[in-house]
Amino acid sequence: AIEQIPLSMIDRIEVVRGNVSALYGSQATGGLVQIFTRKPTNGSQADVRLAIGDKGQKQASVQMSTGNDQVQLTAGIAHEQVKAVSAQNSPLVNPDIDGYRNNSGNISVRFTPNERNEFGARFFQSNGRYEYDDDSKTATPYTKNKVEQLSAYSNNQLTDEWNSQFKVSEMTDRSNDSVWGVYQTKTQDVSWQNQLTTQYGTGITGISYTKQKLNSDTAYDKTQRTTKSAWLGYNLDKNRHHLQLNGRFDDVSDVGRYTTGAINYGFDVTSAWRVFAGYSNGFTTPSFSDLFYPGSENPNLKPEKATYMQVGAQYVQKNYGTRVTYFESRYKDKLVWVTTNLLTYDGQMRNVDRAKAQGVELHGWYNNAGWNVDAGVTYQDVKDRTTGAWLVRQPRVLANLSVGKTW
């Protein structure tokens, strides 16, 4: 449901590279994309955005906030639509125009009685509809999506050394397809994390409980999953040494129990040069959509297990820096998408017994006078270790470039 979040709600996006299962659990063996939404701020302000693009794209949003030193409130609405292209360019499908539209709204409140305590709550709802092509030359199938999320949190600096964070949330993702019917997942999550900062480093400990429930027009044997998790962490930045240790335990009701760990170390050769290395393991459980989504379901999927190793060096100055990293991941039962119908590109997730990914990543950045430039290129080999074949949807070369200016 990440595509349902309007840009007007987003404050920043951060990408965590490498295997971070020991920090975040399942689904993080290949890294993590963190989306930070805007928090209410003091004073009053409004953000109005209008955009028009090719292919019939239109966007409009309004985000407003107001508040004082103790209570802050923000709310907004957004609309997006595209209606100018066909989902597939093939003589075997309906050549009609397939449209997309989405309407969303959000509201959040934050209460800060003093500088050591913060409480907040947020509600978000999104309603979307998109059309697609199947193996019919005349039909126009469509899917209606509705996403709702409600969350509340408490962030408390209990002492000068001890910080405590508590969060509870519920998210409902409902899909109503004209061909496949209703498919809905509900995820409820409770987590508590504590951080202790001392002269000997920073320690982190936390626990969480997650419950997922599936409702569908199609009857399934498994419609519920619970995950109980606990984790520990330790960070030390002292003189020229940088050490990070993490351990995590996850008990997934329908899959099993997994213990993951990570060790990362960096050494400052000079004030600008640092060398680093790391090793970790992780796992990925098949999602409910992978297991049960109508048309692409595969209830026999196994969890993916991985080990990850990296070595590299980075050079950093005040306004710019660069980093080069060699990485290698070895997978067992790797989850990959396999196309089963070349006419419609339909398919399903399947397991590859053994797989290996290795490559080199070069990343650089520059920040000065309000300009922000970030660029990266990655070369990788991702192969089935049994057959030597390349895995599909695993590009050999990836590149990114972003340029921004802040006034």
PDB file of all heavy atoms in Angstrom, residues 24 149-152 166-171 186-192 207-212 227-229 231 248:
ATOM      1  N   TYR A  24      15.011  -5.335  11.900  1.00  0.00           N
ATOM      2  CA  TYR A  24      13.603  -5.135  11.563  1.00  0.00           C
ATOM      3  C   TYR A  24      12.840  -6.427  11.303  1.00  0.00           C
ATOM      4  O   TYR A  24      11.652  -6.385  11.001  1.00  0.00           O
ATOM      5  CB  TYR A  24      13.496  -4.222  10.339  1.00  0.00           C
ATOM      6  CG  TYR A  24      14.115  -2.867  10.553  1.00  0.00           C
ATOM      7  CD1 TYR A  24      15.382  -2.564  10.052  1.00  0.00           C
ATOM      8  CD2 TYR A  24      13.453  -1.885  11.281  1.00  0.00           C
ATOM      9  CE1 TYR A  24      15.958  -1.320  10.248  1.00  0.00           C
ATOM     10  CE2 TYR A  24      14.015  -0.639  11.476  1.00  0.00           C
ATOM     11  CZ  TYR A  24      15.270  -0.364  10.963  1.00  0.00           C
ATOM     12  OH  TYR A  24      15.846   0.867  11.167  1.00  0.00           O
ATOM     13  N   GLN A 149      -5.326   3.424   8.052  1.00  0.00           N
ATOM     14  CA  GLN A 149      -4.318   3.220   9.085  1.00  0.00           C
ATOM     15  C   GLN A 149      -4.558   4.167  10.244  1.00  0.00           C
ATOM     16  O   GLN A 149      -4.760   5.365  10.058  1.00  0.00           O
ATOM     17  CB  GLN A 149      -2.905   3.421   8.539  1.00  0.00           C
ATOM     18  CG  GLN A 149      -1.813   3.134   9.577  1.00  0.00           C
ATOM     19  CD  GLN A 149      -0.419   3.276   9.006  1.00  0.00           C
ATOM     20  OE1 GLN A 149      -0.161   4.148   8.183  1.00  0.00           O
ATOM     21  NE2 GLN A 149       0.494   2.417   9.439  1.00  0.00           N
ATOM     22  N   LEU A 150      -4.540   3.605  11.448  1.00  0.00           N
ATOM     23  CA  LEU A 150      -4.699   4.372  12.681  1.00  0.00           C
ATOM     24  C   LEU A 150      -3.557   3.995  13.604  1.00  0.00           C
ATOM     25  O   LEU A 150      -3.304   2.805  13.836  1.00  0.00           O
ATOM     26  CB  LEU A 150      -6.045   4.070  13.344  1.00  0.00           C
ATOM     27  CG  LEU A 150      -6.318   4.754  14.689  1.00  0.00           C
ATOM     28  CD1 LEU A 150      -6.381   6.272  14.511  1.00  0.00           C
ATOM     29  CD2 LEU A 150      -7.628   4.231  15.297  1.00  0.00           C
ATOM     30  N   SER A 151      -2.843   4.988  14.122  1.00  0.00           N
ATOM     31  CA  SER A 151      -1.703   4.708  14.995  1.00  0.00           C
ATOM     32  C   SER A 151      -1.620   5.739  16.108  1.00  0.00           C
ATOM     33  O   SER A 151      -2.094   6.870  15.974  1.00  0.00           O
ATOM     34  CB  SER A 151      -0.397   4.704  14.193  1.00  0.00           C
ATOM     35  OG  SER A 151      -0.151   5.973  13.615  1.00  0.00           O
ATOM     36  N   ALA A 152      -1.009   5.327  17.206  1.00  0.00           N
ATOM     37  CA  ALA A 152      -0.757   6.212  18.340  1.00  0.00           C
ATOM     38  C   ALA A 152       0.599   5.846  18.927  1.00  0.00           C
ATOM     39  O   ALA A 152       1.022   4.681  18.885  1.00  0.00           O
ATOM     40  CB  ALA A 152      -1.849   6.085  19.400  1.00  0.00           C
ATOM     41  N   PHE A 166       6.761   3.750  22.794  1.00  0.00           N
ATOM     42  CA  PHE A 166       5.662   2.783  22.720  1.00  0.00           C
ATOM     43  C   PHE A 166       4.761   3.172  21.555  1.00  0.00           C
ATOM     44  O   PHE A 166       4.444   4.351  21.357  1.00  0.00           O
ATOM     45  CB  PHE A 166       4.858   2.784  24.019  1.00  0.00           C
ATOM     46  CG  PHE A 166       3.696   1.820  24.012  1.00  0.00           C
ATOM     47  CD1 PHE A 166       3.897   0.473  24.260  1.00  0.00           C
ATOM     48  CD2 PHE A 166       2.410   2.268  23.746  1.00  0.00           C
ATOM     49  CE1 PHE A 166       2.834  -0.426  24.250  1.00  0.00           C
ATOM     50  CE2 PHE A 166       1.333   1.386  23.736  1.00  0.00           C
ATOM     51  CZ  PHE A 166       1.549   0.034  23.999  1.00  0.00           C
ATOM     52  N   LYS A 167       4.341   2.154  20.757  1.00  0.00           N
ATOM     53  CA  LYS A 167       3.516   2.430  19.587  1.00  0.00           C
ATOM     54  C   LYS A 167       2.497   1.329  19.387  1.00  0.00           C
ATOM     55  O   LYS A 167       2.795   0.147  19.583  1.00  0.00           O
ATOM     56  CB  LYS A 167       4.393   2.546  18.328  1.00  0.00           C
ATOM     57  CG  LYS A 167       3.606   2.889  17.062  1.00  0.00           C
ATOM     58  CD  LYS A 167       4.512   3.032  15.860  1.00  0.00           C
ATOM     59  CE  LYS A 167       3.719   3.372  14.605  1.00  0.00           C
ATOM     60  NZ  LYS A 167       4.585   3.518  13.407  1.00  0.00           N
ATOM     61  N   VAL A 168       1.292   1.707  19.002  1.00  0.00           N
ATOM     62  CA  VAL A 168       0.234   0.774  18.664  1.00  0.00           C
ATOM     63  C   VAL A 168      -0.391   1.236  17.348  1.00  0.00           C
ATOM     64  O   VAL A 168      -0.576   2.449  17.121  1.00  0.00           O
ATOM     65  CB  VAL A 168      -0.829   0.690  19.785  1.00  0.00           C
ATOM     66  CG1 VAL A 168      -1.432   2.053  20.066  1.00  0.00           C
ATOM     67  CG2 VAL A 168      -1.912  -0.314  19.434  1.00  0.00           C
ATOM     68  N   SER A 169      -0.687   0.289  16.447  1.00  0.00           N
ATOM     69  CA  SER A 169      -1.225   0.674  15.151  1.00  0.00           C
ATOM     70  C   SER A 169      -2.109  -0.428  14.588  1.00  0.00           C
ATOM     71  O   SER A 169      -1.999  -1.604  14.975  1.00  0.00           O
ATOM     72  CB  SER A 169      -0.098   0.979  14.155  1.00  0.00           C
ATOM     73  OG  SER A 169       0.656  -0.186  13.876  1.00  0.00           O
ATOM     74  N   GLU A 170      -2.989  -0.038  13.671  1.00  0.00           N
ATOM     75  CA  GLU A 170      -3.832  -0.974  12.935  1.00  0.00           C
ATOM     76  C   GLU A 170      -3.956  -0.488  11.501  1.00  0.00           C
ATOM     77  O   GLU A 170      -4.248   0.689  11.254  1.00  0.00           O
ATOM     78  CB  GLU A 170      -5.216  -1.097  13.559  1.00  0.00           C
ATOM     79  CG  GLU A 170      -6.148  -2.036  12.792  1.00  0.00           C
ATOM     80  CD  GLU A 170      -7.527  -2.161  13.422  1.00  0.00           C
ATOM     81  OE1 GLU A 170      -7.647  -2.884  14.424  1.00  0.00           O
ATOM     82  OE2 GLU A 170      -8.468  -1.512  12.908  1.00  0.00           O
ATOM     83  N   MET A 171      -3.734  -1.381  10.544  1.00  0.00           N
ATOM     84  CA  MET A 171      -3.862  -1.034   9.133  1.00  0.00           C
ATOM     85  C   MET A 171      -4.722  -2.075   8.426  1.00  0.00           C
ATOM     86  O   MET A 171      -4.531  -3.278   8.603  1.00  0.00           O
ATOM     87  CB  MET A 171      -2.502  -0.961   8.443  1.00  0.00           C
ATOM     88  CG  MET A 171      -2.616  -0.449   6.996  1.00  0.00           C
ATOM     89  SD  MET A 171      -1.043  -0.289   6.116  1.00  0.00           S
ATOM     90  CE  MET A 171      -0.732  -2.010   5.722  1.00  0.00           C
ATOM     91  N   LYS A 186      -5.811  -7.318   7.515  1.00  0.00           N
ATOM     92  CA  LYS A 186      -5.781  -6.383   8.637  1.00  0.00           C
ATOM     93  C   LYS A 186      -4.578  -6.716   9.500  1.00  0.00           C
ATOM     94  O   LYS A 186      -4.376  -7.861   9.902  1.00  0.00           O
ATOM     95  CB  LYS A 186      -7.063  -6.467   9.466  1.00  0.00           C
ATOM     96  CG  LYS A 186      -7.059  -5.554  10.702  1.00  0.00           C
ATOM     97  CD  LYS A 186      -8.356  -5.644  11.464  1.00  0.00           C
ATOM     98  CE  LYS A 186      -9.491  -4.964  10.711  1.00  0.00           C
ATOM     99  NZ  LYS A 186     -10.725  -4.892  11.523  1.00  0.00           N
ATOM    100  N   THR A 187      -3.750  -5.701   9.777  1.00  0.00           N
ATOM    101  CA  THR A 187      -2.540  -5.885  10.563  1.00  0.00           C
ATOM    102  C   THR A 187      -2.608  -5.014  11.816  1.00  0.00           C
ATOM    103  O   THR A 187      -2.785  -3.793  11.719  1.00  0.00           O
ATOM    104  CB  THR A 187      -1.288  -5.511   9.756  1.00  0.00           C
ATOM    105  OG1 THR A 187      -1.239  -6.298   8.564  1.00  0.00           O
ATOM    106  CG2 THR A 187      -0.027  -5.746  10.569  1.00  0.00           C
ATOM    107  N   GLN A 188      -2.486  -5.639  12.970  1.00  0.00           N
ATOM    108  CA  GLN A 188      -2.460  -4.931  14.260  1.00  0.00           C
ATOM    109  C   GLN A 188      -1.093  -5.139  14.895  1.00  0.00           C
ATOM    110  O   GLN A 188      -0.589  -6.266  14.948  1.00  0.00           O
ATOM    111  CB  GLN A 188      -3.564  -5.455  15.175  1.00  0.00           C
ATOM    112  CG  GLN A 188      -4.965  -5.238  14.616  1.00  0.00           C
ATOM    113  CD  GLN A 188      -6.028  -5.963  15.419  1.00  0.00           C
ATOM    114  OE1 GLN A 188      -5.857  -7.127  15.777  1.00  0.00           O
ATOM    115  NE2 GLN A 188      -7.141  -5.280  15.683  1.00  0.00           N
ATOM    116  N   ASP A 189      -0.487  -4.059  15.375  1.00  0.00           N
ATOM    117  CA  ASP A 189       0.885  -4.127  15.870  1.00  0.00           C
ATOM    118  C   ASP A 189       1.030  -3.315  17.149  1.00  0.00           C
ATOM    119  O   ASP A 189       0.505  -2.199  17.255  1.00  0.00           O
ATOM    120  CB  ASP A 189       1.845  -3.608  14.802  1.00  0.00           C
ATOM    121  CG  ASP A 189       3.293  -3.729  15.212  1.00  0.00           C
ATOM    122  OD1 ASP A 189       3.836  -4.835  15.136  1.00  0.00           O
ATOM    123  OD2 ASP A 189       3.876  -2.707  15.637  1.00  0.00           O
ATOM    124  N   VAL A 190       1.757  -3.903  18.111  1.00  0.00           N
ATOM    125  CA  VAL A 190       2.108  -3.215  19.357  1.00  0.00           C
ATOM    126  C   VAL A 190       3.608  -3.401  19.570  1.00  0.00           C
ATOM    127  O   VAL A 190       4.121  -4.527  19.467  1.00  0.00           O
ATOM    128  CB  VAL A 190       1.342  -3.790  20.567  1.00  0.00           C
ATOM    129  CG1 VAL A 190       1.746  -3.062  21.840  1.00  0.00           C
ATOM    130  CG2 VAL A 190      -0.160  -3.681  20.348  1.00  0.00           C
ATOM    131  N   SER A 191       4.334  -2.323  19.850  1.00  0.00           N
ATOM    132  CA  SER A 191       5.773  -2.423  20.059  1.00  0.00           C
ATOM    133  C   SER A 191       6.223  -1.482  21.172  1.00  0.00           C
ATOM    134  O   SER A 191       5.617  -0.431  21.403  1.00  0.00           O
ATOM    135  CB  SER A 191       6.536  -2.092  18.774  1.00  0.00           C
ATOM    136  OG  SER A 191       6.334  -0.744  18.388  1.00  0.00           O
ATOM    137  N   TRP A 192       7.282  -1.906  21.865  1.00  0.00           N
ATOM    138  CA  TRP A 192       7.869  -1.114  22.946  1.00  0.00           C
ATOM    139  C   TRP A 192       9.383  -1.233  22.847  1.00  0.00           C
ATOM    140  O   TRP A 192       9.926  -2.335  22.889  1.00  0.00           O
ATOM    141  CB  TRP A 192       7.368  -1.609  24.306  1.00  0.00           C
ATOM    142  CG  TRP A 192       7.882  -0.817  25.480  1.00  0.00           C
ATOM    143  CD1 TRP A 192       8.113   0.524  25.532  1.00  0.00           C
ATOM    144  CD2 TRP A 192       8.208  -1.322  26.778  1.00  0.00           C
ATOM    145  NE1 TRP A 192       8.557   0.895  26.776  1.00  0.00           N
ATOM    146  CE2 TRP A 192       8.628  -0.215  27.568  1.00  0.00           C
ATOM    147  CE3 TRP A 192       8.181  -2.599  27.357  1.00  0.00           C
ATOM    148  CZ2 TRP A 192       9.020  -0.355  28.881  1.00  0.00           C
ATOM    149  CZ3 TRP A 192       8.574  -2.737  28.672  1.00  0.00           C
ATOM    150  CH2 TRP A 192       8.982  -1.628  29.437  1.00  0.00           C
ATOM    151  N   ILE A 207      10.429  -5.223  22.281  1.00  0.00           N
ATOM    152  CA  ILE A 207       9.532  -6.342  22.052  1.00  0.00           C
ATOM    153  C   ILE A 207       8.358  -5.855  21.198  1.00  0.00           C
ATOM    154  O   ILE A 207       8.027  -4.654  21.203  1.00  0.00           O
ATOM    155  CB  ILE A 207       8.998  -6.967  23.360  1.00  0.00           C
ATOM    156  CG1 ILE A 207       8.311  -5.885  24.208  1.00  0.00           C
ATOM    157  CG2 ILE A 207      10.107  -7.643  24.136  1.00  0.00           C
ATOM    158  CD1 ILE A 207       7.641  -6.433  25.462  1.00  0.00           C
ATOM    159  N   SER A 208       7.747  -6.770  20.458  1.00  0.00           N
ATOM    160  CA  SER A 208       6.587  -6.398  19.652  1.00  0.00           C
ATOM    161  C   SER A 208       5.689  -7.609  19.451  1.00  0.00           C
ATOM    162  O   SER A 208       6.135  -8.761  19.543  1.00  0.00           O
ATOM    163  CB  SER A 208       7.004  -5.823  18.292  1.00  0.00           C
ATOM    164  OG  SER A 208       7.583  -6.822  17.483  1.00  0.00           O
ATOM    165  N   TYR A 209       4.432  -7.329  19.159  1.00  0.00           N
ATOM    166  CA  TYR A 209       3.445  -8.360  18.855  1.00  0.00           C
ATOM    167  C   TYR A 209       2.642  -7.892  17.655  1.00  0.00           C
ATOM    168  O   TYR A 209       2.105  -6.769  17.640  1.00  0.00           O
ATOM    169  CB  TYR A 209       2.515  -8.597  20.042  1.00  0.00           C
ATOM    170  CG  TYR A 209       1.406  -9.586  19.756  1.00  0.00           C
ATOM    171  CD1 TYR A 209       1.638 -10.956  19.818  1.00  0.00           C
ATOM    172  CD2 TYR A 209       0.128  -9.152  19.424  1.00  0.00           C
ATOM    173  CE1 TYR A 209       0.621 -11.872  19.557  1.00  0.00           C
ATOM    174  CE2 TYR A 209      -0.902 -10.049  19.167  1.00  0.00           C
ATOM    175  CZ  TYR A 209      -0.639 -11.417  19.233  1.00  0.00           C
ATOM    176  OH  TYR A 209      -1.643 -12.319  18.963  1.00  0.00           O
ATOM    177  N   THR A 210       2.581  -8.737  16.613  1.00  0.00           N
ATOM    178  CA  THR A 210       1.865  -8.402  15.386  1.00  0.00           C
ATOM    179  C   THR A 210       0.855  -9.488  15.065  1.00  0.00           C
ATOM    180  O   THR A 210       1.180 -10.680  15.111  1.00  0.00           O
ATOM    181  CB  THR A 210       2.834  -8.245  14.204  1.00  0.00           C
ATOM    182  OG1 THR A 210       3.811  -7.247  14.508  1.00  0.00           O
ATOM    183  CG2 THR A 210       2.090  -7.839  12.942  1.00  0.00           C
ATOM    184  N   LYS A 211      -0.364  -9.068  14.730  1.00  0.00           N
ATOM    185  CA  LYS A 211      -1.422  -9.995  14.348  1.00  0.00           C
ATOM    186  C   LYS A 211      -1.948  -9.601  12.985  1.00  0.00           C
ATOM    187  O   LYS A 211      -2.325  -8.449  12.759  1.00  0.00           O
ATOM    188  CB  LYS A 211      -2.556  -9.971  15.373  1.00  0.00           C
ATOM    189  CG  LYS A 211      -3.707 -10.920  15.048  1.00  0.00           C
ATOM    190  CD  LYS A 211      -4.794 -10.855  16.108  1.00  0.00           C
ATOM    191  CE  LYS A 211      -5.963 -11.774  15.793  1.00  0.00           C
ATOM    192  NZ  LYS A 211      -7.031 -11.694  16.831  1.00  0.00           N
ATOM    193  N   GLN A 212      -1.976 -10.567  12.064  1.00  0.00           N
ATOM    194  CA  GLN A 212      -2.494 -10.343  10.724  1.00  0.00           C
ATOM    195  C   GLN A 212      -3.673 -11.275  10.471  1.00  0.00           C
ATOM    196  O   GLN A 212      -3.630 -12.451  10.837  1.00  0.00           O
ATOM    197  CB  GLN A 212      -1.407 -10.600   9.674  1.00  0.00           C
ATOM    198  CG  GLN A 212      -0.231  -9.646   9.751  1.00  0.00           C
ATOM    199  CD  GLN A 212       0.873 -10.044   8.803  1.00  0.00           C
ATOM    200  OE1 GLN A 212       1.524 -11.056   8.989  1.00  0.00           O
ATOM    201  NE2 GLN A 212       1.086  -9.237   7.773  1.00  0.00           N
ATOM    202  N   THR A 227       2.992 -12.747  15.080  1.00  0.00           N
ATOM    203  CA  THR A 227       4.446 -12.699  15.183  1.00  0.00           C
ATOM    204  C   THR A 227       4.833 -12.056  16.507  1.00  0.00           C
ATOM    205  O   THR A 227       4.434 -10.926  16.788  1.00  0.00           O
ATOM    206  CB  THR A 227       5.062 -11.894  14.026  1.00  0.00           C
ATOM    207  OG1 THR A 227       4.654 -12.456  12.775  1.00  0.00           O
ATOM    208  CG2 THR A 227       6.576 -11.908  14.120  1.00  0.00           C
ATOM    209  N   LYS A 228       5.589 -12.796  17.303  1.00  0.00           N
ATOM    210  CA  LYS A 228       6.114 -12.293  18.564  1.00  0.00           C
ATOM    211  C   LYS A 228       7.612 -12.069  18.389  1.00  0.00           C
ATOM    212  O   LYS A 228       8.333 -12.979  17.975  1.00  0.00           O
ATOM    213  CB  LYS A 228       5.852 -13.278  19.698  1.00  0.00           C
ATOM    214  CG  LYS A 228       4.380 -13.623  19.876  1.00  0.00           C
ATOM    215  CD  LYS A 228       4.201 -14.754  20.876  1.00  0.00           C
ATOM    216  CE  LYS A 228       2.752 -15.186  20.969  1.00  0.00           C
ATOM    217  NZ  LYS A 228       2.570 -16.354  21.870  1.00  0.00           N
ATOM    218  N   SER A 229       8.085 -10.876  18.717  1.00  0.00           N
ATOM    219  CA  SER A 229       9.475 -10.525  18.442  1.00  0.00           C
ATOM    220  C   SER A 229      10.130  -9.877  19.659  1.00  0.00           C
ATOM    221  O   SER A 229       9.472  -9.211  20.460  1.00  0.00           O
ATOM    222  CB  SER A 229       9.567  -9.560  17.249  1.00  0.00           C
ATOM    223  OG  SER A 229       8.907 -10.087  16.120  1.00  0.00           O
ATOM    224  N   TRP A 231      14.241  -8.047  20.517  1.00  0.00           N
ATOM    225  CA  TRP A 231      15.530  -7.709  19.915  1.00  0.00           C
ATOM    226  C   TRP A 231      16.422  -6.954  20.908  1.00  0.00           C
ATOM    227  O   TRP A 231      15.952  -6.327  21.863  1.00  0.00           O
ATOM    228  CB  TRP A 231      15.336  -6.893  18.643  1.00  0.00           C
ATOM    229  CG  TRP A 231      14.614  -5.592  18.813  1.00  0.00           C
ATOM    230  CD1 TRP A 231      15.140  -4.358  19.070  1.00  0.00           C
ATOM    231  CD2 TRP A 231      13.191  -5.392  18.718  1.00  0.00           C
ATOM    232  NE1 TRP A 231      14.164  -3.411  19.140  1.00  0.00           N
ATOM    233  CE2 TRP A 231      12.952  -4.021  18.923  1.00  0.00           C
ATOM    234  CE3 TRP A 231      12.111  -6.245  18.461  1.00  0.00           C
ATOM    235  CZ2 TRP A 231      11.665  -3.476  18.897  1.00  0.00           C
ATOM    236  CZ3 TRP A 231      10.841  -5.703  18.445  1.00  0.00           C
ATOM    237  CH2 TRP A 231      10.615  -4.340  18.655  1.00  0.00           C
ATOM    238  N   ARG A 248      18.093 -10.692  17.182  1.00  0.00           N
ATOM    239  CA  ARG A 248      16.631 -10.635  17.167  1.00  0.00           C
ATOM    240  C   ARG A 248      16.059 -12.048  17.127  1.00  0.00           C
ATOM    241  O   ARG A 248      16.628 -12.953  16.496  1.00  0.00           O
ATOM    242  CB  ARG A 248      16.154  -9.837  15.944  1.00  0.00           C
ATOM    243  CG  ARG A 248      14.635  -9.648  15.876  1.00  0.00           C
ATOM    244  CD  ARG A 248      14.239  -8.886  14.634  1.00  0.00           C
ATOM    245  NE  ARG A 248      12.801  -8.813  14.485  1.00  0.00           N
ATOM    246  CZ  ARG A 248      12.066  -7.729  14.713  1.00  0.00           C
ATOM    247  NH1 ARG A 248      12.655  -6.610  15.095  1.00  0.00           N
ATOM    248  NH2 ARG A 248      10.754  -7.746  14.558  1.00  0.00           N
TER     249      ARG A 248
END
